[in-house]
Amino acid sequence: MQLTAKASQNRALLISIQTPQFKGDEAKASLAELARLVTTLGFKVVGTQSQKLSSTQRMNVLGSGKMAEIAHLTGNQGFVDDFDDDDIVDEMLFSELPSEDLPFGSADVVVFDCDLSPSQLRNVENQLGVEVFDRTGIIIEIFSRHARTRTARLQVEIARLNYLAPRLRESTSGNKERQMGKGAGETTLELDRRKIRDQLAELRRELASVQDELKGRRAQRSELFCVALVGYTNAGKSSMMRALTGSEVLVENKLFATLDTTVRALQPITQPRILVSDTVGFIKKLPHDLVASFHSTLAEAHDASLLLYVVDASDPSFRSQLDVVHEVLHEVGVDDIPKQLVLNKSDQLSIEQQQALMAEFPDAVMTSTRNPADITKLHQYIVNIAQDEMIEDEIIVPYTANGIIGEIRSSMSVTKEEYEYEHITFTVRSNPINLARLKKQMQNKD
């Protein structure tokens, strides 16, 4: 799926369907989040509509009266009411969220805050006469635009093609068209679907190759203490990454500004070094294909020594967002890694609100990336946790082993050096893996 119009020209009308399982504050918060997603694409949200229904599975999604009302807002004068009488019952349950009075033809894109089947999408577009998107389609489009590295682009393209394949439609001119040569007997639609299957197979092979390379890089970093920043999209992870590492990572007040995992050393530099990684943000109703395709990106979290759960403490819904983070990390198998809750954006809270949150989450770390003192406190917390995992040992190194001496000083915390006639005795603190590797390296040189 690709947007057919320039985002700056799109005026979006958002539709919420409230069901017995999805209603009230949850539905309103989800619709507000959809507005942020749509705005991230550059759309202008011109209004919202809501309807209470028993489910989202009906063929035309909405009741006839509501569909006619929305067709007026999209300027579709050719709207045809071909719904059955059962729609009238549901129409009586209609409930509309606050929205300005909109003139005829005020929206040229309609976005549903739910997933639509291919047939539902086609039916609604025929009724409204404009481009229609569901929530998954919008999220995939954002991911497509924001993916920058080869890995992220491959992962997003796999998810996009999986979404697009069942939604392909036969063109009017190609309904009875038959292809000659290799595709003899196949319609244009069948050829397009086969082409997508071939593309997916090639993309998966390429992604597997890239994942092997990334796995090798992670193995090289396995001796170092690694901290992974995880959390809901726009919780402030990239700003925290920049503050902790001094790196020029992208920081934007948009959903999914970061899709590519970035790994940098904690600053000021420690001995041994501590690495910090910024990971893709999560969101409610994250499409399964995107979760599956981003397993390799989230492998940074899987291999981390410590997870910092970063939340926007100024967002009243951060508790439910935290539940989403738990669910996604559980799905990718990240359950047994030490975790620390970080209540971010504390500068947007009153003193009373900060005190209430610390009473509710007494083990959390409260920070603002705009406050250098908070970043210093978080830096020291990370260093303390890393040091708790270290063990102390003595290493005797001959003066002739220049390479070993340099490696000890660069990769371990040296607490004491004693110079003897033929060797140096180092008292060091390091993790057990690094110590074992160094001792084995010295034995091989003997």
Side-chain angles (χ1 to χ4, degrees):
M1 182 197 75
Q2 294 290 344
L3 295 178
T4 58
K6 293 182 179 179
S8 59
Q9 298 173 346
N10 287 125
R11 303 182 306 277
L13 178 67
L14 310 186
I15 309 297
S16 173
I17 298 177
Q18 300 193 37
T19 66
Q21 297 77 33
F22 181 72
K23 59 186 178 180
D25 291 341
E26 183 183 8
K28 289 182 180 180
S30 183
L31 191 63
E33 186 172 78
L34 181 66
R36 293 183 62 198
L37 287 167
V38 168
T39 302
T40 295
L41 285 179
F43 289 5
K44 178 182 178 182
V45 178
V46 294
T48 63
Q49 296 281 319
S50 176
Q51 185 169 36
K52 292 180 180 178
L53 297 172
S54 57
S55 77
T56 61
Q57 303 304 311
R58 54 195 303 131
M59 182 179 67
N60 290 298
V61 190
L62 298 170
S64 59
K66 177 51 64 178
M67 189 67 81
E69 183 181 343
I70 295 173
H72 173 80
L73 299 178
T74 62
N76 185 19
Q77 293 178 314
F79 171 76
V80 178
D81 181 2
D82 58 357
F83 298 82
D84 56 47
D85 291 339
D86 290 341
D87 295 313
I88 298 175
V89 176
D90 281 339
E91 185 63 20
M92 294 173 62
L93 299 174
F94 163 69
S95 174
E96 186 175 348
L97 293 177
S99 180
E100 58 183 310
D101 292 332
L102 301 175
F104 176 81
S106 56
D108 50 26
V109 167
V110 172
V111 184
F112 281 78
D113 190 26
C114 60
D115 286 339
L116 303 180
S117 70
S119 59
Q120 285 178 317
L121 198 63
R122 181 168 57 253
N123 290 337
V124 174
E125 283 191 342
N126 290 338
Q127 295 290 334
L128 301 182
V130 296
E131 198 165 15
V132 175
F133 296 94
D134 60 8
R135 186 182 178 94
T136 292
I138 291 295
I139 293 175
I140 288 178
E141 179 64 22
I142 293 174
F143 272 58
S144 295
R145 293 190 184 187
H146 289 186
R148 291 177 174 83
T149 66
R150 181 185 174 201
T151 307
R153 287 196 298 268
L154 287 170
Q155 293 171 137
V156 172
E157 186 62 9
I158 288 172
R160 191 185 72 84
L161 290 177
N162 279 328
Y163 177 82
L164 178 64
R167 291 166 174 79
L168 287 178
R169 304 170 193 175
E170 191 77 78
S171 63
T172 303
S173 62
N175 283 338
K176 297 182 180 180
E177 179 184 351
R178 298 290 172 176
Q179 306 300 312
M180 303 303 292
K182 183 179 179 181
E186 290 182 298
T187 64
T188 304
L189 178 59
E190 290 167 341
L191 280 173
D192 287 343
R193 284 176 174 165
R194 182 156 60 83
K195 183 179 179 181
I196 284 182
R197 287 196 298 271
D198 292 343
Q199 284 180 293
L200 281 169
E202 177 59 31
L203 288 169
R204 289 187 178 113
R205 284 192 293 269
E206 189 175 350
L207 180 59
S209 175
V210 173
Q211 287 173 335
D212 286 341
E213 294 177 15
L214 293 175
K215 187 176 180 180
R217 293 177 191 173
R218 289 197 302 272
Q220 293 174 2
R221 301 195 297 263
S222 62
E223 298 172 359
L224 298 176
F225 189 90
C226 296
V227 179
L229 307 179
V230 298
Y232 211 72
T233 182
N234 207 42
K237 297 185 300 300
S238 294
S239 295
M240 187 165 292
M241 176 78 172
R242 174 179 284 189
L244 287 171
T245 67
S247 58
E248 292 301 315
V249 296
L250 177 67
V251 176
E252 288 187 278
N253 187 25
K254 290 183 178 180
L255 301 186
F256 299 114
T258 301
L259 294 184
D260 309 296
T261 300
T262 304
V263 182
R264 297 287 186 272
L266 183 69
Q267 298 286 345
I269 290 288
T270 60
Q271 292 296 349
R273 285 192 308 157
I274 296 173
L275 300 182
V276 182
S277 64
D278 185 14
T279 62
V280 60
F282 306 134
I283 196 168
K284 293 176 184 175
K285 306 177 190 175
L286 187 65
H288 177 76
D289 280 338
L290 281 175
V291 175
S293 65
F294 269 77
H295 271 209
S296 62
T297 300
L298 292 174
E300 291 291 346
H302 192 278
D303 295 340
S305 311
L306 172 68
L307 298 179
L308 292 186
Y309 275 39
V310 183
V311 300
D312 177 358
S314 67
D315 188 335
S317 63
F318 82 80
R319 294 166 185 81
S320 62
Q321 294 174 359
L322 192 57
D323 290 338
V324 173
V325 176
H326 285 299
E327 290 169 8
V328 175
L329 290 177
H330 174 74
E331 187 172 344
V332 298
V334 182
D335 285 321
D336 55 353
I337 296 175
K339 305 169 182 65
Q340 174 60 47
L341 177 63
V342 179
L343 300 171
N344 195 29
K345 303 187 182 182
S346 63
D347 56 305
Q348 299 179 27
L349 300 172
S350 67
I351 298 298
E352 291 76 15
Q353 289 173 320
Q354 292 182 28
Q355 291 173 341
L357 283 177
M358 289 309 300
E360 182 180 357
F361 303 100
D363 297 327
V365 176
M366 182 164 286
T367 65
S368 167
T369 55
R370 298 179 180 178
N371 186 341
D374 284 352
I375 296 303
T376 299
K377 179 178 65 175
L378 184 58
H379 179 285
Q380 189 58 52
Y381 172 82
I382 293 171
V383 170
N384 290 343
I385 295 295
Q387 289 180 346
D388 287 344
E389 287 198 356
M390 295 181 186
I391 60 175
E392 189 170 275
D393 202 350
E394 284 190 353
I395 303 176
I396 298 175
V397 184
Y399 288 110
T400 54
N402 293 325
I404 297 293
I405 294 173
E407 186 170 348
I408 289 174
R409 287 177 172 157
S410 64
S411 65
M412 299 180 178
S413 175
V414 179
T415 59
K416 187 177 180 182
E417 296 182 24
E418 294 181 319
Y419 294 84
E420 307 294 337
Y421 182 71
E422 295 182 340
H423 62 263
I424 306 175
T425 300
F426 288 97
T427 303
V428 300
R429 287 186 60 80
S430 185
N431 65 65
I433 297 176
N434 198 17
L435 280 168
R437 180 195 56 78
L438 187 70
K439 289 183 176 180
K440 184 176 181 180
Q441 184 178 342
M442 291 179 62
Q443 288 174 357
N444 293 336
K445 286 191 174 185
D446 290 341

